[in-house]
Amino acid sequence: MDSSASSPAISDPTETKKLLDKLVVLKLNGGLGTTMGCTGPKSVIEVRNGFTFLDLIVIQIEKLNSKYGCSVPLVLMNSFNTHDDTMKIVEKYSNSNVKVHIFNQSQYPRLVAEDFTPFPCKGQPGKDGWYPPGHGDVFQSLMNSGKLDAFISEGKEYVFVANSDNLGAIVDLRALEILNHLIQKKNEYCMEVTPKTLADVKGGTLISYEGKVQLLEIAQVPDAHVNEFKSIEKFKIFNTNNLWLNLKAVKRLVEADALKMEIIPNPKEVEGVKVLQLETAAGAAIRFFDHAIGINVPQSRFLPVKASSDLLLVQSDLYTLADGYVSRNNARANLENPSIELGPEFKKVSNFLSRFKSIPSIIDLDSLSVSGDVWFGANVVLKGKVKIAAKAGVKLEIPDGTKLENKEINGPEDLSG
C-alpha cells in the first residue's frame, strides 16, 4: 500500500476523532545521548528553537488532542539508564492535555564472552553489569507494566511505536490513513518501510521466507553477503522502525509466549572485559502476527538524529518547524538531503553549537565535509560541494556572511575571491 492514497474517513473530523480515540503513541526512550556527548536520555537533546525531541512529540499530540477533541496518550518505554531522568523531565508536561505514561523495559545481565557467565556474578554488581535487551522487549514489557490491559479496557486498539529520535515519526493525516487501512483490513502488525538510499544501506529489510514476511537485519547476514545486503538495487526498502501494532494481538502473543524473535548478539567491552548482550528487535516480530504488512512511506517519515551532522540538517533552513512538526523546506529542488561529514571536533553537541555562530544556509548544498579546527561565523551560505579542511594545529575561521559554492578551503587564503 502507498500511504499517499487518500481516504474518505480522514477528511471528516468526526471520523478522524474516532480513529484517534483508538490510538496510543509509544516512543522508545531507552537510549542515552552519550554518542553525541550528552548525559541523560537522548530525547532531551535540544533539536530546534530550544525544543527537545520530547517537547516536539508532546506538542504534536497536544495539537491533535485539541483539534479533534480526543485523548491520544503518550507512552515512553524507558530503560534503567533513562528512567530516573525521564521521570523528572515529564513533570513539565503535567498541565498538558496529553496524558504521559511511563514504564521501564527489562534489564538483563551482560554475559562474559569467555564462559557465558552473568557479568554481575563476576564482580560487576553495578549498572555496568546489566543492559536493556533492545526494543524487541517492548511487547513483554508493555504487558508486564499493566498498561496494555489498561489501554485495551479503555477501547484503544492500536499502538504506534517509534524511536524517540526519529523526527519524521509523526501522527498526521497521512499516518491516520495507515491506521484506517489496518483497521479495515484487520492487519495486526504494520512496518513502515521507505526506499533505501546510500545513507541507509545498513537498515533492516523485509523478505519473504518460509511463506512469511520477515525482517532481515545486517547483523544476521554472513560477511560474504554484506555488500549484497547493502545493495540498493537488490534490497530497495528498509525498516524505519515505525511500527503499528494491534493491542489485542500483542496480548494474545505475549500470553502464549509466541514471540520467539531471533537473538542478535551484540559484543561489547566493559572495563577491559569482553561481554555479550543478547538483544532482539521489535521489527523481527512481524512474522508472528496475522495479516502483517509493510507499507511503503515517503522518506519524510524517517528523519533520525543520530549525530551532530543530522542536527546541522534539522537546525538549518533545509527544514521548518510548525506545531511541533519538522518539515522539509519546499524551496529545496533536490529531493535528496545533502551529505554532511563533520570531524570529531563537532561530535559533542556542546562543541557543535559553539563552533557555529549561526547555522549556515544549506538549502542549495549537495555535500559538506569539515575537518580540523573550523569555526563558522553568522549568516554563512554553503552551496554545491564544499570541503573545509583546517591544517593541523591551525584555527580556521569562516567569517560572517561568507558564501561558499563548490569550493575547497584549506586556509584563510582560500576564502578571498
Side-chain angles (χ1 to χ4, degrees):
M1 173 194 168
D2 186 335
S3 72
S4 59
S6 61
S7 169
I10 311 306
S11 56
D12 179 347
T14 310
E15 292 302 316
T16 301
K17 174 179 161 39
K18 277 185 192 169
L19 281 174
L20 286 168
D21 281 337
K22 294 174 180 177
L23 182 64
V24 174
V25 174
L26 189 155
K27 298 289 181 171
L28 302 167
N29 191 52
L32 292 166
T34 43
T35 54
M36 295 176 72
C38 297
T39 55
K42 187 177 179 187
S43 58
V44 299
I45 292 175
E46 289 187 3
V47 183
R48 186 158 175 144
N49 300 14
F51 293 114
T52 66
F53 289 103
L54 268 185
D55 292 338
L56 296 177
I57 292 162
V58 170
I59 291 166
Q60 291 163 16
I61 302 176
E62 273 179 347
K63 300 286 181 188
L64 280 177
N65 285 346
S66 298
K67 183 172 181 178
Y68 295 103
C70 52
S71 55
V72 175
L74 170 63
V75 186
L76 301 175
M77 183 173 87
N78 298 328
S79 67
F80 63 88
N81 289 318
T82 61
H83 188 69
D84 291 346
D85 287 335
T86 303
M87 290 298 285
K88 294 187 198 114
I89 290 155
V90 298
E91 287 173 11
K92 71 193 269 195
Y93 309 124
S94 56
N95 295 324
S96 166
N97 67 4
V98 181
K99 178 94 169 75
V100 182
H101 299 261
I102 290 175
F103 70 94
N104 239 351
Q105 74 171 115
S106 309
Q107 64 181 74
Y108 290 3
R110 285 172 163 152
L111 301 176
V112 178
E114 187 181 39
D115 57 8
F116 300 115
T117 55
F119 200 21
C121 301
K122 285 270 183 110
Q124 184 47 269
K127 266 191 177 182
D128 283 347
W130 301 80
Y131 71 99
H135 43 62
D137 181 54
V138 65
F139 310 100
Q140 184 75 55
S141 289
L142 182 59
M143 180 83 174
N144 293 349
S145 72
K147 296 190 185 297
L148 180 62
D149 285 328
F151 289 135
I152 290 171
S153 68
E154 289 170 18
K156 305 294 184 188
E157 293 183 21
Y158 278 83
V159 58
F160 173 54
V161 178
N163 296 342
S164 60
D165 66 359
N166 180 4
L167 294 172
I170 59 178
V171 178
D172 57 2
L173 292 186
R174 176 177 275 151
L176 290 184
E177 288 166 7
I178 296 175
L179 177 59
N180 190 45
H181 179 89
L182 303 181
I183 292 169
Q184 301 298 326
K185 303 292 185 185
K186 296 184 168 51
N187 301 113
E188 292 185 344
Y189 183 113
C190 170
M191 176 187 290
E192 293 186 28
V193 296
T194 198
K196 190 188 274 193
T197 69
L198 291 173
D200 315 301
V201 292
K202 292 182 180 178
T205 193
L206 287 180
I207 59 170
S208 179
Y209 183 69
E210 294 179 343
K212 288 271 190 182
V213 178
Q214 299 202 27
L215 178 70
L216 179 65
E217 296 273 19
I218 193 166
Q220 297 167 296
V221 177
D223 290 345
H225 292 282
V226 164
N227 285 337
E228 194 180 352
F229 175 85
K230 288 180 175 179
S231 161
I232 59 176
E233 277 80 39
K234 182 149 195 174
F235 296 104
K236 294 184 169 61
I237 56 167
F238 74 97
N239 170 27
T240 63
N241 217 39
N242 299 348
L243 309 172
W244 299 79
L245 314 169
N246 179 283
L247 292 171
K248 286 181 178 174
V250 172
K251 179 178 168 68
R252 181 187 80 236
L253 290 167
V254 172
E255 285 182 340
D257 197 22
L259 294 173
K260 304 291 187 187
M261 281 96 81
E262 294 78 11
I263 290 171
I264 302 168
N266 185 1
K268 299 267 184 184
E269 191 166 310
V270 181
E271 294 177 5
V273 180
K274 287 186 166 59
V275 296
L276 275 180
Q277 298 182 177
L278 304 181
E279 302 177 4
T280 58
I286 189 168
R287 63 193 175 99
F288 301 105
F289 287 79
D290 292 339
H291 312 296
I293 57 169
I295 286 186
N296 202 344
V297 297
Q299 281 190 312
S300 59
R301 291 192 60 77
F302 185 69
L303 184 59
V305 178
K306 302 288 184 192
S308 52
S309 53
D310 300 321
L311 264 187
L312 176 55
L313 283 176
V314 298
Q315 291 187 358
S316 74
D317 56 355
L318 192 59
Y319 285 88
T320 58
L321 175 66
D323 295 341
Y325 298 111
V326 176
S327 310
R328 258 279 291 252
N329 189 336
N330 291 330
R332 180 171 173 86
N334 190 339
L335 294 176
E336 296 265 324
N337 275 347
S339 69
I340 295 179
E341 289 179 33
L342 301 176
E345 297 81 4
F346 292 80
K347 184 177 180 181
K348 292 184 177 180
V349 174
S350 54
N351 293 348
F352 164 84
L353 293 172
S354 68
R355 287 176 177 273
F356 290 100
K357 254 200 214 174
S358 70
I359 299 296
S361 167
I362 61 170
I363 201 131
D364 295 315
L365 179 71
D366 293 324
S367 66
L368 171 67
S369 172
V370 182
S371 58
D373 189 12
V374 180
W375 299 76
F376 288 81
N379 305 314
V380 172
V381 178
L382 304 174
K383 296 183 175 186
K385 294 178 177 168
V386 178
K387 184 175 182 181
I388 305 171
K391 297 183 180 78
V394 177
K395 181 177 182 179
L396 177 56
E397 297 188 28
I398 310 299
D400 294 357
T402 301
K403 290 180 173 57
L404 299 175
E405 183 168 3
N406 295 320
K407 289 202 84 167
E408 184 167 335
I409 309 294
N410 296 299
E413 64 280 3
D414 297 325
L415 289 164
S416 55

